[in-house]
Amino acid sequence: GTSMEDTLHNNESLLVDKLSYHFTDPERYDIIVFYPHGKKSDEYYVKRIIGLPGETVQINDSGIYINGSLINDNYGKAPITYPGIAKEPITLSEDEYFVLGDNRQSSFDSRYSNIGPVSRGNIAGEVRFRILPVNRFGPVN
Protein backbone atom coordinates (compact mmCIF):
# COMPACT_ATOMS: atom_id res chain seq x y z
CA GLY A 1 0.00 0.00 0.00
CA THR A 2 0.88 3.66 0.21
CA SER A 3 1.33 3.92 3.98
CA MET A 4 5.15 3.95 3.90
CA GLU A 5 5.68 6.29 0.93
CA ASP A 6 8.14 7.83 0.11
CA THR A 7 10.39 5.31 1.88
CA LEU A 8 8.68 2.18 0.52
CA HIS A 9 6.21 1.71 -2.32
CA ASN A 10 3.47 -0.78 -3.09
CA ASN A 11 4.63 -4.10 -4.61
CA GLU A 12 8.28 -3.73 -3.60
CA SER A 13 10.00 -6.92 -2.46
CA LEU A 14 11.76 -6.59 0.88
CA LEU A 15 14.19 -8.65 2.92
CA VAL A 16 13.03 -8.91 6.54
CA ASP A 17 15.49 -9.81 9.30
CA LYS A 18 13.57 -12.14 11.62
CA LEU A 19 16.56 -13.09 13.75
CA SER A 20 18.15 -9.91 15.19
CA TYR A 21 15.27 -9.01 17.50
CA HIS A 22 15.87 -12.29 19.36
CA PHE A 23 19.15 -10.73 20.55
CA THR A 24 18.53 -6.97 20.51
CA ASP A 25 15.60 -4.68 21.15
CA PRO A 26 13.84 -2.79 18.37
CA GLU A 27 14.90 0.85 18.21
CA ARG A 28 13.18 4.12 17.41
CA TYR A 29 12.80 4.61 13.65
CA ASP A 30 13.32 0.92 12.77
CA ILE A 31 10.95 -0.19 10.02
CA ILE A 32 9.22 -3.35 11.17
CA VAL A 33 6.84 -6.00 9.92
CA PHE A 34 4.20 -6.89 12.50
CA TYR A 35 0.92 -8.76 12.89
CA PRO A 36 -1.72 -6.18 13.90
CA HIS A 37 -4.20 -8.87 14.94
CA GLY A 38 -1.76 -11.42 16.36
CA LYS A 39 0.36 -14.11 14.74
CA LYS A 40 -2.62 -16.36 14.08
CA SER A 41 -3.71 -13.89 11.39
CA ASP A 42 -2.05 -13.86 7.96
CA GLU A 43 -2.35 -10.08 7.78
CA TYR A 44 0.82 -8.07 8.43
CA TYR A 45 1.75 -4.39 8.28
CA VAL A 46 4.97 -2.51 7.64
CA LYS A 47 5.47 0.63 9.79
CA ARG A 48 8.15 2.70 11.53
CA ILE A 49 8.71 2.51 15.31
CA ILE A 50 8.18 5.91 16.97
CA GLY A 51 7.52 5.11 20.64
CA LEU A 52 9.47 2.62 22.77
CA PRO A 53 8.41 0.57 25.81
CA GLY A 54 7.72 2.67 28.90
CA GLU A 55 7.52 5.94 26.97
CA THR A 56 4.52 8.27 26.79
CA VAL A 57 3.49 9.24 23.26
CA GLN A 58 1.22 12.14 22.30
CA ILE A 59 0.45 13.84 18.99
CA ASN A 60 -0.42 17.55 19.14
CA ASP A 61 -0.52 20.18 16.39
CA SER A 62 0.99 17.65 13.93
CA GLY A 63 4.00 17.15 16.26
CA ILE A 64 4.98 13.91 17.97
CA TYR A 65 5.89 14.18 21.65
CA ILE A 66 7.79 11.51 23.56
CA ASN A 67 7.68 11.95 27.35
CA GLY A 68 6.53 15.53 26.80
CA SER A 69 9.34 16.53 24.39
CA LEU A 70 8.82 17.18 20.69
CA ILE A 71 10.89 14.76 18.61
CA ASN A 72 12.60 15.72 15.39
CA ASP A 73 10.80 13.30 13.08
CA ASN A 74 11.96 13.70 9.47
CA TYR A 75 10.29 10.56 8.15
CA GLY A 76 6.73 11.80 7.71
CA LYS A 77 5.73 12.52 4.13
CA ALA A 78 3.25 15.17 5.32
CA PRO A 79 2.17 16.68 8.65
CA ILE A 80 -0.10 14.59 10.85
CA THR A 81 -3.66 15.84 10.67
CA TYR A 82 -5.27 12.94 12.56
CA PRO A 83 -3.76 12.19 15.99
CA GLY A 84 -6.29 9.43 16.73
CA ILE A 85 -5.95 7.84 20.15
CA ALA A 86 -2.62 9.67 20.61
CA LYS A 87 -4.45 12.97 20.97
CA GLU A 88 -4.29 12.10 24.67
CA PRO A 89 -1.00 10.80 26.14
CA ILE A 90 -0.49 7.04 25.75
CA THR A 91 1.97 5.36 28.09
CA LEU A 92 3.37 2.21 26.53
CA SER A 93 3.81 -0.92 28.63
CA GLU A 94 7.19 -2.65 28.90
CA ASP A 95 6.54 -4.71 25.77
CA GLU A 96 4.72 -2.19 23.55
CA TYR A 97 5.79 0.00 20.63
CA PHE A 98 3.98 2.90 18.96
CA VAL A 99 4.26 2.72 15.16
CA LEU A 100 3.40 5.10 12.33
CA GLY A 101 3.51 4.87 8.56
CA ASP A 102 5.73 7.43 6.83
CA ASN A 103 2.74 8.57 4.76
CA ARG A 104 0.88 9.94 7.77
CA GLN A 105 -2.16 10.90 5.68
CA SER A 106 -2.66 7.33 4.43
CA SER A 107 -1.56 4.98 7.17
CA PHE A 108 -3.54 2.64 9.39
CA ASP A 109 -1.24 2.49 12.43
CA SER A 110 -1.02 2.86 16.23
CA ARG A 111 -3.19 5.99 16.11
CA TYR A 112 -6.22 3.76 15.44
CA SER A 113 -7.83 1.98 18.38
CA ASN A 114 -8.19 -1.34 16.55
CA ILE A 115 -4.41 -1.38 15.97
CA GLY A 116 -3.04 0.60 18.93
CA PRO A 117 0.39 -0.07 20.41
CA VAL A 118 2.14 -3.15 19.01
CA SER A 119 3.29 -5.82 21.44
CA ARG A 120 6.82 -7.14 21.02
CA GLY A 121 5.45 -10.64 20.48
CA ASN A 122 3.62 -9.50 17.34
CA ILE A 123 6.74 -8.08 15.67
CA ALA A 124 7.93 -10.44 12.92
CA GLY A 125 11.17 -8.62 12.11
CA GLU A 126 12.96 -5.56 10.78
CA VAL A 127 12.92 -4.50 7.13
CA ARG A 128 16.58 -4.36 6.07
CA PHE A 129 16.82 -4.45 2.30
CA ARG A 130 14.80 -3.73 -0.85
CA ILE A 131 15.23 -6.43 -3.48
CA LEU A 132 12.78 -5.28 -6.16
CA PRO A 133 12.35 -3.17 -8.19
CA VAL A 134 15.97 -3.38 -9.32
CA ASN A 135 16.25 0.41 -9.78
CA ARG A 136 15.59 0.83 -6.00
CA PHE A 137 17.72 -2.16 -4.90
CA GLY A 138 19.56 -1.57 -1.63
CA PRO A 139 19.32 -1.01 2.12
CA VAL A 140 16.16 0.51 3.60
CA ASN A 141 16.32 3.17 6.29
Side-chain angles (χ1 to χ4, degrees), residues 29-88:
Y29 305 124
D30 285 356
I31 298 174
I32 62 166
V33 173
F34 71 97
Y35 299 96
H37 307 294
K39 289 185 176 179
K40 292 183 180 180
S41 170
D42 289 337
E43 185 177 23
Y44 61 88
Y45 290 178
V46 177
K47 305 292 179 202
R48 188 177 300 276
I49 293 176
I50 301 297
L52 301 172
E55 293 181 334
T56 299
V57 179
Q58 185 173 19
I59 299 173
N60 274 335
D61 302 322
S62 77
I64 303 168
Y65 294 80
I66 303 292
N67 297 331
S69 297
L70 180 65
I71 63 170
N72 185 18
D73 172 50
N74 297 318
Y75 295 102
K77 180 177 177 176
I80 298 172
T81 57
Y82 176 71
I85 63 172
K87 182 176 183 174
E88 299 299 324

